[in-house]
């Protein structure tokens, strides 16, 4: 999939080196098609890393995608320069002027806080309310999924005794689900979180369906029955070394965090991890874009 992004976005050069097809505005205008419009509400502190991870996965189908990176207006980023955000991101109020085929709301390092104490919570709620009517399918990741489930359906989150970190195997709980088409019977999803969900809370919501769960990580994939909202508690977008970098970061801060499970070979932090979730990640994002965005969105939706 050619993804239409600004040519000077740092992710552009990285993706070109990886032979991911990116497209500038001039070339995109030469194609007589309507691109899928995808908004990425990036709540992660390392903006450039998350952008590259997601764009890498979105650029793996034959569709043309126009990306809008969205920043929260009521939050001062401590890890990304304001000039970078002003150049490559649109403020959250700007999205209310448009409709989008799809939206991704990322995780955020605020999961141990009550939702209402997050400084941009009201702003995010406005985006989620807008998305319900003006975005055809929204994908929520990690904390984003907890936020979406809480805001839309009142599903609470629960604190874990220790951080859940590692690669956990999952099993589908339904048959014939397009999101899981082509998946193996069991499949890996990276997890990195301090909170969890309870299955019984989700089952109380008649408008939700559980698609996958893990013996160790619990419920991991949920969708609304109208297919307009997808909730994933993990991070299929993570690079090979992301969990290692998070682990070293936490240790350097003096935090007592467990070694990521099923990640370092023989649980030896001096041995290089390898990715065994990359194929699952590409297939999942391709399925979402194809079955729940491209094939379902009306041509004149936007």
């Amino acid at each position: 999939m050619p993804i239409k992004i600004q040519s000077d976005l740092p992710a552009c050069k990285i993706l070109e080196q990886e032979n991911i097809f990116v497209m500038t505005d001039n070339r995109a205008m030469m194609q007589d098609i309507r691109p899928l419009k995808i908004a990425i509400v990036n709540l992660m502190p390392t903006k450039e890393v998350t952008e590259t991870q997601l764009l890498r996965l979105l650029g793996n189908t034959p569709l043309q995608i126009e990306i809008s990176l969205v920043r929260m207006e009521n939050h001062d980023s401590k890890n990304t320069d304001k000039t970078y955000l002003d150049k490559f991101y649109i403020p959250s109020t700007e999205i209310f002027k448009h409709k989008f085929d799809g939206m991704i709301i990322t995780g955020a390092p605020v999961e141990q806080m009550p939702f209402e104490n997050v400084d941009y919570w009201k702003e995010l709620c406005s985006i989620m309310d807008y998305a319900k009517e003006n975005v055809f399918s929204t994908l929520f990741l990690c904390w984003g999924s907890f936020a979406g489930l809480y805001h839309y359906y009142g599903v609470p989150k629960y604190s874990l005794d220790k951080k859940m970190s590692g690669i956990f195997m999952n099993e589908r709980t339904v048959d014939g689900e397009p999101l899981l088409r082509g998946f193996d019977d069991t499949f890996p999803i990276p997890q990195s979180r301090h909170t969890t969900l309870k299955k019984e809370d989700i089952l109380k919501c008649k408008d939700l369906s559980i698609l996958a769960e893990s013996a160790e990580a619990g419920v991991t994939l949920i969708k609304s029955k109208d297919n307009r909202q997808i909730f994933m508690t993990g991070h299929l977008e993570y690079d090979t070394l992301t969990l290692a970098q998070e682990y070293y970061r936490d240790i350097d801060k003096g935090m007592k965090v467990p070694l990521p499970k099923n990640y370092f070979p023989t649980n030896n932090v001096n041995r290089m991890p390898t990715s065994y979730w990359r194929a699952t990640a590409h297939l999942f994002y391709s399925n979402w874009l194809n079955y729940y965005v491209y094939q379902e969105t009306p041509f004149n939706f936007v």
Side-chain angles (χ1 to χ4, degrees):
M1 169 190 310
I3 43 178
K4 180 183 172 185
I5 56 178
Q6 291 176 247
S7 59
D8 52 349
L9 184 73
C12 185
K13 185 175 182 180
I14 297 172
L15 296 175
E16 285 179 336
Q17 291 172 345
E18 297 177 6
N19 292 319
I20 303 295
F21 190 9
V22 295
M23 179 179 291
T24 61
D25 290 348
N26 290 337
R27 186 171 181 181
M29 291 175 63
M30 297 173 65
Q31 294 190 333
D32 189 21
I33 60 176
R34 182 178 80 77
L36 295 178
K37 295 187 176 182
I38 306 293
I40 299 177
V41 182
N42 189 357
L43 305 175
M44 294 291 277
T46 51
K47 305 293 185 194
E48 292 183 37
V49 172
T50 303
E51 292 157 17
T52 305
Q53 290 173 345
L54 290 173
L55 293 175
R56 181 182 291 120
L57 295 171
L58 294 172
N60 199 37
T61 77
L63 305 169
Q64 185 188 131
I65 292 184
E66 181 177 315
I67 298 295
S68 295
L69 297 171
V70 183
R71 62 177 172 85
M72 309 304 285
E73 292 186 46
N74 297 320
H75 176 73
D76 292 326
S77 178
K78 298 178 182 178
N79 298 279
T80 305
D81 191 84
K82 185 178 183 299
T83 57
Y84 182 93
L85 294 174
D86 289 341
K87 183 175 183 179
F88 297 116
Y89 281 69
I90 61 173
S92 57
T93 52
E94 179 68 23
I95 67 174
F96 301 138
K97 303 174 184 177
H98 310 279
K99 291 189 176 184
F100 292 89
D101 300 291
M103 176 180 284
I104 298 173
I105 298 179
T106 73
V110 293
E111 56 182 326
Q112 292 176 289
M113 299 171 58
F115 292 112
E116 292 80 5
N117 288 358
V118 176
D119 61 1
Y120 52 78
W121 177 246
K122 289 183 179 179
E123 188 176 353
L124 182 60
C125 288
S126 296
I127 292 174
M128 291 190 286
D129 289 338
Y130 150 86
K132 194 170 183 179
E133 301 297 330
N134 298 283
V135 177
F136 204 78
S137 183
T138 303
L139 175 59
F140 299 82
L141 306 177
C142 198
W143 181 82
S145 68
F146 289 93
L149 288 167
Y150 177 75
H151 178 65
Y152 290 132
Y153 303 101
V155 175
K157 63 178 180 178
Y158 299 89
S159 297
L160 294 166
D161 294 334
K162 58 183 179 181
K163 184 178 182 179
M164 180 184 295
S165 177
I167 315 300
F168 299 91
M169 298 306 293
N170 301 260
E171 296 183 357
R172 69 181 75 215
T173 58
V174 293
D175 294 322
E177 169 53 48
L179 271 175
L180 302 178
R181 191 162 294 168
F183 274 47
D184 293 326
D185 293 336
T186 59
F187 51 92
I189 298 178
Q191 299 283 348
S192 178
R193 50 188 167 92
H194 293 271
T195 55
T196 191
L197 302 168
K198 288 185 179 179
K199 185 175 181 178
E200 54 265 35
D201 291 333
I202 301 165
L203 292 175
K204 292 177 184 176
C205 299
K206 60 181 178 61
D207 294 325
L208 295 175
S209 297
I210 296 173
L211 305 184
E213 57 187 343
S214 165
E216 293 183 274
V219 175
T220 52
L221 186 61
I222 306 156
K223 76 169 182 178
S224 61
K225 291 184 178 178
D226 62 3
N227 302 328
R228 300 287 293 273
Q229 300 157 349
I230 312 295
F231 306 93
M232 174 175 285
T233 63
H235 289 281
L236 274 176
E237 78 280 4
Y238 268 12
D239 293 328
T240 303
L241 296 180
T242 304
L243 286 175
Q245 292 163 349
E246 290 184 349
Y247 175 73
Y248 297 139
R249 176 203 64 198
D250 292 345
I251 292 297
D252 288 343
K253 290 180 178 179
M255 299 172 62
K256 294 182 178 180
V257 291
L259 192 71
K261 285 189 174 183
N262 312 311
Y263 182 59
F264 289 106
T266 66
N267 288 329
N268 184 344
V269 295
N270 295 314
R271 295 186 62 184
M272 181 70 70
T274 59
S275 172
Y276 55 96
W277 61 91
R278 187 179 298 120
T280 299
H282 280 284
L283 184 55
F284 176 81
Y285 277 82
S286 177
N287 284 347
W288 174 61
L289 286 170
N290 182 23
Y291 297 116
Y292 287 148
V293 182
Y294 174 66
Q295 293 197 29
E296 296 294 332
T297 309
F299 186 84
N300 60 354
F301 182 68
V302 293

